[in-house]
Amino acid sequence: MASAAKFRRSFPLAAGAAALAVALLGSATPFARAAELKIGLSSEVTTLDPHFFATGPNIAFHHHLYDSLVDVDPEGRLIPALAESWKTVDETTWEFKLRRGVRFHDGSELTAEDVLFSLERPAQIANSPGPFISYTRPIVARQAVDRYTVRLKTAGAYGALPLDLSSVFIVSKKAAANAAQDRFNSGAAAVGTGPFKLVGFRKGESIEIARNDAYWGPRPEWDTVRFKVLASDAPRLAALLAGDVDLIEAVPPADLARLKTNPKVTLAQHTTWRTLFWHLDQFRDNSPYVTDKAGKPLAKNPLKDVRVRRAISKAINREALVGRTLEGLAQPASNLNSPGIFGYDAELKVEAYDPEGAKKLLAEAGYPEGFGLTLHGPNNRYINDEQVVQTVAQFLNRVGIRTRVETQPLSVYFGKARASEYSMALLGWGSLASDFTLRSIVGTPDPDTGWGTWNWGRYSNPTVDKLVRQALGSVDAARREDFARQAVKAAMSDYAVIPSHHQIATWALRKGLDYGGRIDEFTYAHEVRSAK
């Protein structure tokens, strides 16, 4: 599977900031001899239960404590993890051979029973705000052939199962049986096989972990790692420059020019899988944040009309959004996944900025004077996310859609958005396959199958659903990708969502550290090294 291009750069220091940087950083201990790493996180880790809430920040951190059967390398390629190998026994049966001698943090050995328990557990968790069941529901039968061999059966041919399982962490059956979130957060149930063990978790503030010296994989360089939640850009950057942390993710774009000239700082950048797009309410006749120009509720929901959705897309100047609001740290999007991701359709072109065409479409749909609309988005999750929402509101105002903006912290926003409380809401999504993305984002919601778990607008299109099923059911990779591209084209032609842009991630490190970055934007302490 191809991946987005990666590029890393180190920059010499700023003359204007040199004196300050030397004062702040000059006395640091060389990192080749350091035993502790301090990382500034841009988003909160909300739980240490690896099956409760499938958000990027949670999953990224969980990789320190837990392993999955199959993993993904920095470029998005599948690699062995707890499973040394896997194969199809027949078109509906997969066999996974486990590594022998892998130990959980409590010293007990990993066995097939722990794997079966972990694959069953997501479906047993109630009230998950972001469930993992879309990854496990294809499995209809599980079998421990022996202590180190697992066979998984799907209802039909399903070529995507190994990639699905890269998102499901394996926990100790003994430690996690009947465990609620508080037992994971306290550490009692947070017993994995990962490169680090939990030392302490203060939700919303900090996490401390220690190296697992019995880890089956490459030995991490760091004895201890301290994560500090620094959701606001300015404090996160200040913490790096003050030496309070050694690495930060999600570097504020406005500070990149200054950091490029700082000889005590190294920047790492990587194009990523994350695409930002707009969900539109397509299931209610009266949408809560759609009004006439006077602010009164409309008799019908204009967002259910494909002409209106297309008008909104045409009204957005993506080139200006990327160049100005995002300061070049993104690419305009035509797909729901980034270029190079499995199933990306290169034939789809970025929607041309056409405000006059947008006005014409609105008139054809019966809204020549436009209507009122409130845009919702987070203000602490994506690159310049609040500014992105404000900029798009300005574009819509220019074509007659009188637009208001409401942004919220992620901890508030996600819950309300997942409950479909908004009419037009911003979401970022990353996946290593387009059929996976479509299943979660625009697949007809179905709690029994796990489809549409992030389909905030409750879009439904039988043609898209059928093509996604055909893609996921194809064991042949070429055939699967062809169906995936057809599904992408069908969904985008119907403006199931409005794609905006693909992000470019930036990390800043104190001189003496090296991090290659990842296509998934994750920050892994075990992949940070002392520079050679």
Side-chain angles (χ1 to χ4, degrees), residues 43-59:
S43 297
E44 177 185 355
V45 176
T46 62
T47 178
L48 297 189
D49 182 337
H51 302 140
F52 184 74
F53 191 8
T55 67
N58 288 345
I59 293 171

Side-chain angles (χ1 to χ4, degrees), residues 11-312:
F11 301 93
L13 193 331
L20 174 61
V22 169
L24 292 174
L25 303 171
S27 61
T29 301
F31 277 90
R33 297 189 296 275
E36 181 180 74
L37 179 69
K38 295 170 289 186
I39 295 176
L41 297 177
S42 60
S43 297
E44 177 185 355
V45 176
T46 62
T47 178
L48 297 189
D49 182 337
H51 302 140
F52 184 74
F53 191 8
T55 67
N58 288 345
I59 293 171
F61 177 76
H62 292 158
H63 273 279
H64 294 85
L65 303 180
Y66 312 99
D67 293 305
S68 47
L69 288 176
V70 180
D71 205 353
V72 176
D73 75 6
E75 300 305 321
R77 297 178 289 258
L78 287 180
I79 56 175
L82 293 180
E84 287 186 314
S85 63
W86 54 91
K87 66 178 182 180
T88 52
V89 177
D90 55 50
E91 67 175 11
T92 63
T93 306
W94 287 84
E95 183 176 276
F96 295 82
K97 289 288 187 179
L98 304 183
R99 295 180 186 274
R100 293 171 181 256
V102 173
R103 299 282 172 181
F104 284 104
H105 296 158
D106 62 4
S108 61
E109 186 182 21
L110 167 78
T111 71
E113 291 301 321
D114 298 297
V115 173
L116 298 186
F117 169 80
S118 299
L119 297 181
E120 293 167 357
R121 187 170 181 267
Q124 300 169 355
I125 295 178
N127 302 317
S128 167
F132 284 81
I133 55 174
S134 62
Y135 304 117
T136 58
R137 283 289 172 82
I139 303 170
V140 296
R142 307 163 182 82
Q143 177 190 5
V145 178
D146 58 41
R147 190 173 177 85
Y148 305 108
T149 306
V150 172
R151 283 190 178 176
L152 305 175
K153 193 167 187 63
T154 56
Y158 186 62
L161 187 63
L163 186 53
D164 263 347
L165 297 184
S166 70
S167 298
V168 183
F169 293 103
I170 306 303
V171 297
S172 163
K173 179 179 180 179
K174 176 183 176 182
N178 302 315
Q181 270 199 86
D182 58 347
R183 284 185 55 78
F184 280 91
N185 293 345
S186 71
V191 179
T193 60
F196 295 93
K197 301 178 181 181
L198 180 67
V199 175
F201 174 54
R202 299 179 65 184
K203 186 176 179 180
E205 297 181 25
S206 62
I207 313 172
E208 183 178 355
I209 56 178
R211 182 172 55 219
N212 174 16
D213 289 326
Y215 185 54
W216 58 266
R219 176 185 171 90
E221 182 169 337
W222 314 103
D223 293 325
T224 60
V225 181
R226 298 177 187 272
F227 296 86
K228 187 173 184 179
V229 178
L230 298 166
S232 298
D233 290 345
R236 191 163 62 254
L237 179 60
L240 175 73
L241 295 178
D244 294 333
V245 296
D246 308 312
L247 179 157
I248 61 171
E249 57 187 14
V251 175
D255 295 296
L256 279 176
R258 172 161 72 106
L259 291 173
K260 288 177 183 179
T261 59
N262 187 323
K264 299 294 184 180
V265 174
T266 297
L267 297 181
Q269 292 187 307
H270 202 303
T271 53
T272 77
W273 63 357
R274 188 174 304 281
T275 301
L276 271 75
F277 57 90
W278 293 94
H279 272 300
L280 305 175
D281 179 355
Q282 296 179 58
F283 72 99
R284 283 175 287 218
D285 291 331
N286 302 107
S287 194
Y289 289 95
V290 177
T291 67
D292 63 17
K293 297 294 279 288
K296 297 180 180 179
L298 286 178
K300 63 179 180 179
N301 176 6
L303 302 178
K304 296 176 74 171
D305 191 319
V306 67
R307 294 169 296 184
V308 173
R309 301 197 298 273
R310 187 181 181 197
I312 289 172

Side-chain angles (χ1 to χ4, degrees), residues 112 142 173 211 290 294 329 395 409 413 420 428 436 448:
R142 307 163 182 82
K173 179 179 180 179
R211 182 172 55 219
V290 177
L329 292 177
F395 291 144
Y413 175 73
S420 299
F436 277 18
D448 292 331

